[in-house]
Amino acid sequence: GAPGVATTYTEFKAMLDTPIPSHEHPTPAFSKINAHFAQLADADFEISPKVQAMILLAKLPSSMDTITHL
């Protein structure tokens, strides 16, 4: 069966808690966050690509502020 609310929330919270480093290449963090998005989709809790993009932009460190204004 589908994962329960607690399991889905744990996955969602882990995605939100994944930091994007300011002085390292962000690819590993993006990969980890995308894996969480995939797990959520598998749990029948798909987040639309537009909302995923907004979450990623909101998580960017202040050193990457110029990206959010492109």
Side-chain angles (χ1 to χ4, degrees):
V5 173
T7 301
T8 303
Y9 174 76
T10 300
E11 192 69 40
F12 183 77
K13 182 82 169 102
M15 178 270 301
L16 290 178
D17 290 345
T18 301
I20 298 175
S22 59
H23 299 294
E24 297 174 24
H25 202 281
T27 298
F30 287 148
S31 295
K32 186 173 181 181
I33 292 167
N34 281 328
H36 288 299
F37 286 140
Q39 288 289 345
L40 288 165
D42 288 345
D44 204 24
F45 192 85
E46 188 166 357
I47 298 171
S48 75
K50 288 181 180 180
V51 175
Q52 289 182 28
M54 292 295 114
I55 290 170
L56 288 171
L57 287 172
K59 292 179 69 54
L60 290 177
S62 59
S63 63
M64 296 181 187
D65 275 349
T66 55
I67 294 171
T68 63
H69 299 290
L70 296 177

